[in-house]
Every structure is written in structure tokens, then in C-alpha cells.
């Protein structure tokens, strides 16, 4: 499933950040400077059922245009799967017809969330420049590529021309050193960073480095780049290393020989550099209605909840199901509380079944939902009623995000969500480890 | 669409996000229905009363959040003439220009009183408050984006580009 054209980092000027190198290569130049507006050639375009064919196809008709290169397009149904009414069924039907009409071979229909599927199928490589029709497309930046989210109208331009304009962002470097305490994970890092760096980082790329990140598996790294969207950044990016290459090979893609050359030069200029100690971090939760309203879980302990939700690209990976199972094994969730689990892909669902995680979770009282974006964006099963409170392993808790306007959503790691399901109140998960 | 607008000011605070602009609950509904719920959680009267040409004045990070283009489209649908904010969510900012909706950085957002009549000129980088007789200078849009805006957004721009391509093909 290798997408052609994973490029080497050669012939570029010195003193560039990783993001600048990729943008220079994609725009056919040897250098770029922050603030410049450039036109980039797109290596890969991710279209989803949400803002994909249903919004792009009518515009292609209006333009009398086709798709520049169907081999570089990946199409996924995830936001409206499975159909819950005639409207969502019609959107899915149209998406399937679009795949057939334009001969899109990489069409993943009801197999999981697009951001997760790109990784599972080894479709992202260091040095690539990619665009996705969804804000959390930044998820893929963990693979050392520049992948950013855009609206459907912009993706129309991408699939017609194979190009897009970019205002070269500044790079903000975030360094994490040391080891986490047990019960602390990448999600806690991002909730802390939303508070610390704010959510207003447009025209910036967040580059994550340091020994903490070196030790992370790809799945945890993708949490960091996924939630670069919550920081408001153009994207997040992590320089590739042996972990990246091994994961690519495991996904069936042989990395380019020069893949490890995609990293910031020692002489690169960063807008700012922030350093953190992993060992000092406690499990975090974010209070309604912003990921930046975060703090140590202990400060929110005791807040009663109605629903606990483990779902989404960022929060229902195999790691998350393992975290929840570790807390819930041999225990039972509190009366009057519902725990919903929507694994992020079919493969994760199968692996979780094989490991016995689904049994552990359902025996503890969890209610298993289909894979897909689901309640994270109030599109699928599990939405909230007026006045209800939920703790969720998802990435966004804006007012109305998961249902009724007066519902309250707290964000936390799968550990924190599972612990809250056990007690019926927000709880420090370390009590159950 | 042009790079100019004039109308009454609707003033909002910081962090107006895409779920407030285009709530997921009405996501499958036609644009007209979705636009009736625009910003209802923070100002229930907005969608029903906003007039063509009116100007949104907001704090930091207006349009933060999801890639949903409807967040910008509902404002165009409601006739909003321009959005002025201290800063913008990046995808919203791009979507707005792609729909021909002027979006300008406006550090002086706090000086605008709701309901005041404003005149906005994105090319010159000026905002005039007619009642107060004040004129503000704001960072003008980069030329590339002004061109997109004045073309009427991305679709007219693509039309032009494809027409040029077809013409070139015929010349060969």
C-alpha cells in the first residue's frame, strides 16, 4: 500500500526546521522562511465522509473537473458510520459512489477512523506533505511528515489541482525529558500543554522532541500530534527515529533509505523552545468547556458523572483499551453510570478481542459501540442529554460538542475515564493501579 | 463578495469555536437550518436578527476547533460582511477566505461597542466606527489572500484556473 514519492531530504539549505524542510521540498525550493506564502505539491490527500465527497463532488461537477491523482487520495467513512438515520445512510452511499466513480483504490469503508487507518496501513512516511479534510489530520505528524487539516472547500482545490497554498509557519519546539510516573500518559501531556501553551497557536508547528518522546511507541506519539489541533497549531510533528521505521515496516511499508534525514538542523531557528520534566506530571483532566481548562485530576476529584466515554482517534486506540482494562479488571462500574467504549478501528477491535480486553471491559459493565467518530462530535451513538456530565478520552470538550448545549464534558486519559466509571465520580486513576 | 463590508457590530468574546458556530447536532441538516443555530449557545438572538453586511467583532482565536467549513459558510449564509478578531483559528481563517468572507486581525476589538455601525476595508486595512468617528488601522491581508477574496473565494478562482488550463491546451 506504499504511496509513491516518499522523498529524500537532499539539496536543501542549512538551518531549517523539520517542517520548513518538508515545505521547501514540497514547494520545489531549497529553503523557506516563516511568514512566506508558498504553493505546495500534495503527496497524499485524506478525504472523510464528513467533509469529503458529499461536499466535494457537487463542486467538481460545477467545475467540470476530476481528481488530479486518485492514487494519492485516501477515502474513509468514519464520521457517519454506521448509518443511524436516512440522512447518514445517504451520506455513506454517496461516499461509496464517489469512490467507484473516481476509481479510488484506497477506500476504507467502515473499518475505523481515518487518522488511525493511515497509520495502520503505513501510508504516511517521513518527509511527506499531506492534507486531510479534518482538523485532527495532524495526528499523522508523528510519522515525521507534514500533515495538516483543512476544510472541504480547500480539499476540493487539493483534489482538483494537487496543490495548496501554505503560509510557512514558525516552529515551536517542545522538549519532554525523563520518564512518566505510572498512570501518566501522552494524553496528560497534551491537556497540560493546552493549559500552558494555550489554544491560539495558528501559523505555528509544534515539534516534539526529547527522551520522553524517544521512549514512546507510535500510538502515544500520535496523541501528541493529534492534539496539536487543540493547541490551534498548523500541525504537530515528531522527527522520525528507529521506532518510526520499525513501525512502518510492521505496517508493510519499507521506509525510504534517507528517512532519518528528515529532522531539524542543529542551526534551525525556533520561535520558542519549551522544556518539561515528565516525572513531575500528574494525571490531568480538562474541565468544561475547553481542553485548556486543565489541571491535576486530584483537584477535580469527586465531581459526579453520568457517562464515561472511551472513543475517538485520540482516545480509543489499543493502548486506551488496555489502560481501561487494567483499571476495570475484576471490578464493576458504579450504579447509575454508563461506560461506552467505541474502539477506533476494526483492527483495534479484533486485537482487543484477541487480548481479552473486550471481555474484561464488558464484564465490568462497559457498553461496546461500533468503531467510528461516534459521540465525540455528537454524530453517532452516545450523545449527551441536557444537564448531563461526561468524562471522555476524546480530544475536544467544547460546549455542545457531544450533544446538548448544557451538557458538560471533562477530558482525561483512558485511565482517568475508567477510574471515574468505577466510582461514579472523577477519581485519581492511580488509586486503582 | 468583495474585500469591503459595512454594517452593525456584533461583539463576542474569546474562543468562539466551531461547535458554537455550526453545532454538530444539526450537522446533517441543510445549511439554511444549520445557520439558524449559529452561535445560539452564546447569543440566541444572533441568527434571527443579524442583517446583511453586519460585522462580527471578537476576541482571541475566533473559529478555533474543527475543520467543518460550515462554521464559515453559515456566516456567509446569514449575510455577515466581515469578521474582525484579535486572532483566528487557522482552518476557519482559511475557510472564510475560501468562501469570500473577509477576516481581519483586529487588535482593537475591545474598543467596539455592540450595535455600532462599522465600515471595513480589507485591502486598505481600515476599520471605521461611524458613530464614534474613529478609524482603526489593522494588518492588511497578504496579497495572495486578497486576490482570492476579491475573486469571490476559491471556487471562482478554480474556475478561472481551469479555464486558463483549457485555453492553454487548445493552443497546443
Amino acid at each position: 500500500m506504499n504511496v509513491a514519492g516518499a522523498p529524500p531530504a537532499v539539496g536543501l539549505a542549512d538551518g531549517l526546521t523539520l517542517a520548513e524542510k518538508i515545505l521547501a521540498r514540497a514547494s520545489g525550493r531549497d529553503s523557506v522562511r516563516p511568514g512566506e506564502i508558498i504553493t505546495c505539491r500534495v503527496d497524499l490527500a485524506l478525504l472523510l465522509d464528513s467533509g469529503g465527497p458529499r461536499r466535494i463532488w457537487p463542486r467538481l461537477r460545477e467545475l467540470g473537473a476530476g481528481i488530479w491523482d486518485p492514487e494519492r487520495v485516501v477515502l474513509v467513512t468514519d464520521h457517519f458510520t454506521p448509518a443511524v438515520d436516512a440522512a447518514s445512510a445517504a451520506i455513506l452511499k454517496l461516499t461509496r459512489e464517489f469512490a467507484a466513480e473516481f476509481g479510488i483504490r484506497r477506500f476504507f469503508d467502515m473499518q475505523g477512523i481515518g487518522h488511525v487507518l493511515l497509520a495502520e496501513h503505513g501510508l504516511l512516511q517521513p518527509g511527506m506533505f499531506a492534507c486531510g479534510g479534518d482538523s485532527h489530520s495532524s495526528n499523522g505528524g508523528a510519522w515525521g511528515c507534514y500533515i495538516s487539516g483543512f476544510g472541504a472547500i480547500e480539499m476540493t482545490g487539493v483534489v482538483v489541482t494537487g496543490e495548496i497554498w501554505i503560509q510557512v509557519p514558525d516552529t515551536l519546539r517542545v522538549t519532554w525529558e525523563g520518564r512518566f510516573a505510572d498512570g501518566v500518559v501522552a494524553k496528560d501531556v497534551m491537556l497540560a500543554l493546552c493549559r500552558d501553551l494555550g489554544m491560539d497557536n495558528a501559523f505555528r508547528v509544534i515539534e516534539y522532541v526529547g527522551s520522553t518522546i524517544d521512549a514512546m511507541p507510535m500510538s502515544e506519539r500520535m496523541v501528541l500530534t493529534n492534539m496539536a489541533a487543540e493547541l490551534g497549531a498548523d500541525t504537530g510533528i515528531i522527527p522520525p527515529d528507529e521506532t518510526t521505521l520499525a513501525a512502518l515496516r510492521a505496517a508493510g511499508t519499507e521506509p525510504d533509505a534517507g528517512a532519518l534525514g528528515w529532522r531539524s538542523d542543529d542551526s534551525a531557528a525556533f520561535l520558542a523552545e519549551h522544556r518539561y520534566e515528565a516525572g513531575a506530571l500528574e494525571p490531568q483532566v480538562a474541565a468544561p468547556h475547553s481542553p485548556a481548562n486543565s489541571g491535576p485530576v486530584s483537584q477535580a476529584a469527586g465531581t459526579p458523572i453520568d457517562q464515561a466515554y472511551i472513543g475517538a482517534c485520540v482516545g480509543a486506540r489499543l493502548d486506551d483499551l488496555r489502560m481501561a482494562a487494567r483499571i476495570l479488571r475484576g471490578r464493576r462500574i458504579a450504579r447509575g453510570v454508563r461506560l461506552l467504549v467505541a474502539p477506533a478501528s476494526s483492527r483495534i477491535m479484533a486485537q482487543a478481542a484477541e487480548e481479552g480486553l473486550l471481555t474484561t471491559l464488558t464484564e465490568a459493565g462497559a457498553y461496546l459501540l461500533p468503531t467510528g467518530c461516534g459521540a465525540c462530535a455528537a454524530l453517532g451513538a452516545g450523545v449527551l442529554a441536557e444537564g448531563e456530565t461526561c468524562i471522555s478520552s476524546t480530544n475536544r470538550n467544547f460546549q455542545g460538542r457531544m450533544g446538548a448545549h448544557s451538557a458538560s464534558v471533562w477530558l482525561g486519559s483512558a485511565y482517568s475515564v475508567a477510574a471515574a466509571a468505577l466510582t461514579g465520580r472523577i477519581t485519581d486513576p492511580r488509586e486503582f493501579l | 463578495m468583495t474585500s469591503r463590508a459595512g454594517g452593525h457590530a456584533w461583539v463576542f468574546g474569546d474562543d468562539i469555536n466551531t461547535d458554537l458556530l455550526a453545532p454538530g447536532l444539526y450537522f446533517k441538516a441543510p445549511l439554511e437550518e444549520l445557520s439558524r443555530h449559529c452561535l445560539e449557545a452564546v447569543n440566541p438572538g444572533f441568527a434571527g436578527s443579524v442583517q446583511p453586511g453586519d460585522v462580527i467583532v471578537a476576541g482571541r482565536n475566533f473559529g478555533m476547533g474543527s475543520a467543518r467549513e460550515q462554521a464559515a459558510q453559515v456566516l456567509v449564509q446569514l449575510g455577515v460582511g466581515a469578521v474582525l478578531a484579535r486572532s483566528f483559528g487557522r482552518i476557519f481563517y482559511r475557510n472564510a477566505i475560501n468562501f469570500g468572507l473577509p477576516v481581519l486581525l483586529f487588535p482593537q476589538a475591545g474598543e467596539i461597542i455592540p450595535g455600532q455601525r462599522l465600515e471595513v476595508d480589507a485591502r486598505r486595512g481600515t476599520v471605521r466606527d461611524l458613530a464614534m468617528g474613529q478609524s482603526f488601522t489593522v494588518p492588511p491581508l497578504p496579497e495572495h489572500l486578497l486576490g482570492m477574496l476579491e475573486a469571490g473565494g476559491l471556487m471562482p478562482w478554480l474556475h478561472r484556473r481551469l479555464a486558463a488550463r483549457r485555453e492553454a491546451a487548445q493552443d497546443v
Side-chain angles (χ1 to χ4, degrees), chain B residues 57-58 84-88 104-110 112 127 136 138-139:
Chain B
V57 180
L84 313 175
R86 286 183 196 274
S87 65
F88 288 94
L104 284 177
L105 292 172
F106 190 42
Q108 307 93 331
I112 302 299
V127 175
F136 304 94
V138 301

Side-chain angles (χ1 to χ4, degrees), chain A residues 177-222:
Chain A
E177 298 289 357
R179 290 178 51 155
F180 293 129
D182 192 21
V184 177
V185 289
K187 183 58 167 290
D188 301 305
V189 166
M190 287 316 298
L191 294 177
L193 286 181
C194 283
R195 175 181 71 239
D196 208 49
L197 301 178
M199 298 177 67
D200 193 10
N201 291 288
F203 305 114
R204 293 174 188 166
V205 165
I206 315 294
E207 179 178 315
Y208 302 94
V209 295
S211 60
T212 314
I213 283 109
D214 294 342
M216 282 182 178
M218 292 309 293
S219 54
E220 283 284 274
R221 295 182 187 186
M222 282 188 275

Side-chain angles (χ1 to χ4, degrees), chain B residues 79-163:
Chain B
V80 169
V83 183
L84 313 175
R86 286 183 196 274
S87 65
F88 288 94
R90 59 169 283 275
I91 308 182
F92 173 85
Y93 180 83
R94 295 183 67 112
N95 281 340
I97 288 165
N98 286 325
F99 285 114
L101 173 65
V103 277
L104 284 177
L105 292 172
F106 190 42
Q108 307 93 331
E111 297 181 36
I112 302 299
I113 298 165
Q116 300 285 55
R117 232 190 120 69
L118 301 180
E119 275 183 3
V120 179
D121 188 326
R123 180 162 280 283
R124 298 166 80 179
T126 57
V127 175
R128 286 179 59 213
D129 183 330
L130 300 185
M132 307 294 279
Q134 266 181 305
S135 192
F136 304 94
T137 305
V138 301
L141 284 173
E143 188 58 40
H144 183 90
L145 306 191
L146 273 172
M148 185 82 74
L149 203 56
E150 288 170 350
L154 182 64
M155 284 298 284
W157 185 87
L158 282 173
H159 268 295
R160 238 185 260 175
R161 184 175 157 150
L162 290 173

Side-chain angles (χ1 to χ4, degrees), chain A residues 18 119 122 124-127 140-145 213-214 216-219 221-222 238-256 259-260 262-263:
Chain A
L18 171 54
L124 297 171
Q125 290 219 47
W143 296 85
C145 59
I213 283 109
D214 294 342
M216 282 182 178
M218 292 309 293
S219 54
R221 295 182 187 186
M222 282 188 275
I238 298 176
D241 60 7
E242 290 301 333
T243 300
T244 320
L245 302 190
L248 259 179
R249 291 194 184 101
T253 297
E254 185 52 34
D256 186 275
L260 295 182
W262 290 104
R263 52 182 52 253

Side-chain angles (χ1 to χ4, degrees), chain A residues 54 109 191 194 215 431:
Chain A
R54 72 179 181 127
D109 190 14
L191 294 177
C194 283
E431 291 173 26

